[in-house]
Amino acid sequence: MHSINTSGLHSAGRRTPRPRTSSGLRRATAVLGLCVALVAGASTSMAEPRTGPTPPVVTADQVMPHLDALQRIADRNGGNRAHGTQGYRYSVAYVQAALDKAGFRTTLRRFTHDGATGYNLIADWPGGDPEHILFAGAHLDSVETGPGINDNGSGSAALLATALEVSEASLKPNRHLRFAWWGAEEGGLLGSRAYVRDLSAAERDRIDVYLNVDMAGTKGNNRPWLVVHDDPAAAEAFEGYFAARNLPTFEIGIGGSDHVSFGEAGIPVGGFATGIDDCIHEACDRVENVDPVTETTSTNAFISTVWQLAARR
């Protein structure tokens, strides 16, 4: 996780930033928007559905075991899961094994940094329109000084739980679903930058939106979810999920994690984070540093948004 740009500005200058509103006004606007959508939904001229199949809801028992596994991997491999280490390679193997068993098509994309081989894990769910890709990702690496369980085992676990629910539901999305666990984010978004750099112009155009989650389980009472405001549909979906549960949010621009790599390439982005804690990049960023309630809420927000956006055409 890197510093977050809260200016609302898009790094590629693609959109004019929206004025920041209070959470109360955002909730009122969301309700008004929902009413308009319901009226519009009665019209036969509406081109695409606003919602897809009802998204599943997971519990902490379905998410936290992934964080326990990443903690054990770090404990057995020098206390971290950093780029170029055994801890990172075993982390990739853990996630890939779960995805392969669930029916995803997985590939490892290699890159090199500081003389060490890095790995991006890419997972495609069969089906959906390959010309319209809903892409979701999180970085899997830690820093060398700690196991990185909140930063960003928590986002990686939320993403993995989302992917496994896609499989469990045998989801048939309109958009093609692709997931990624990035390497060497902590070195400067290196894995995601390498991936985007290798895409052709046509391949970039096929990505409708990229969603990112980085630090999903930060402790703290009334801590807001920091929601990326770039792609309107993604921002609306995340904000709507949190507003319906009276959970605070704060609007941020593009910055801080791997969505920057996509935004700089002109690809619309979305996502959220739960913010920095006192153990960021420290040895104390262990599984005990993650709040299970926040982690589970974040996971369900991500699942809900993936379900909604996957149904769009």
Side-chain angles (χ1 to χ4, degrees):
M1 183 76 174
H2 293 265
S3 61
I4 294 174
N5 170 17
T6 59
S7 66
L9 296 174
H10 190 289
S11 59
R14 187 168 62 250
R15 294 188 178 92
T16 302
R18 298 189 302 173
R20 185 169 299 145
T21 59
S22 68
S23 60
L25 181 56
R26 282 201 302 272
R27 285 194 293 272
T29 303
V31 172
L32 178 60
L34 177 60
C35 294
V36 172
L38 290 172
V39 172
S43 171
T44 59
S45 63
M46 191 171 184
E48 65 181 26
R50 294 293 291 173
T51 60
T54 302
V57 176
V58 299
T59 66
D61 290 340
Q62 294 166 275
V63 186
M64 294 303 293
H66 300 309
L67 295 179
D68 291 333
L70 294 177
Q71 181 67 67
R72 288 193 298 271
I73 288 170
D75 289 343
R76 294 168 182 168
N77 293 277
N80 71 79
R81 303 177 303 100
H83 165 75
T85 68
Q86 284 284 90
Y88 182 73
R89 288 189 287 274
Y90 283 125
S91 296
V92 171
Y94 171 81
V95 175
Q96 187 171 20
L99 295 166
D100 287 341
K101 183 177 180 180
F104 283 82
R105 297 192 302 263
T106 63
T107 57
L108 287 177
R109 301 289 185 91
R110 292 172 173 79
F111 61 93
T112 302
H113 173 64
D114 281 349
T117 300
Y119 301 92
N120 294 323
L121 173 60
I122 311 299
D124 286 272
W125 180 244
D129 186 350
E131 295 299 316
H132 293 278
I133 297 172
L134 172 58
F135 203 146
H139 79 86
L140 185 54
D141 65 310
S142 74
V143 293
E144 293 182 354
T145 53
I149 302 303
N150 193 29
D151 184 18
N152 183 39
S154 63
S156 293
L159 190 67
L160 178 56
T162 300
L164 295 181
E165 287 303 308
V166 167
S167 172
E168 182 70 21
S170 298
L171 188 66
K172 294 178 172 56
N174 289 324
R175 287 170 163 172
H176 179 73
L177 290 180
R178 180 172 296 159
F179 297 84
W181 286 260
W182 306 115
E185 187 270 355
E186 297 292 5
L189 318 181
L190 297 169
S192 59
R193 287 192 193 279
Y195 178 85
V196 174
R197 184 176 60 246
D198 289 344
L199 294 175
S200 67
E203 288 171 327
R204 293 182 185 186
D205 287 343
R206 293 186 185 109
I207 302 172
D208 287 348
V209 61
Y210 171 78
L211 307 177
N212 196 75
V213 55
D214 192 344
M215 299 185 71
T218 309
K219 292 181 177 180
N221 294 330
N222 297 316
R223 178 185 291 274
W225 274 260
L226 310 178
V227 179
V228 176
H229 276 246
D230 180 62
D231 180 74
E236 179 183 1
F238 284 123
E239 291 280 7
Y241 182 90
F242 295 123
R245 291 153 182 80
N246 294 316
L247 297 172
T249 61
F250 187 85
E251 177 181 332
I252 62 173
I254 295 181
S257 193
D258 292 292
H259 53 291
V260 173
S261 302
F262 288 81
E264 289 177 343
I267 297 168
V269 302
F272 65 85
T274 53
I276 293 172
D277 59 42
D278 291 341
C279 285
I280 187 170
H281 296 175
E282 300 291 341
C284 59
D285 189 9
R286 299 178 53 83
V287 69
E288 299 84 9
N289 188 47
V290 174
D291 177 30
V293 173
T294 301
E295 174 73 11
T296 306
T297 300
S298 292
T299 303
N300 283 315
F302 212 82
I303 290 171
S304 176
T305 297
V306 166
W307 249 249
Q308 181 174 331
L309 298 188
R312 296 174 69 95
R313 295 184 185 273

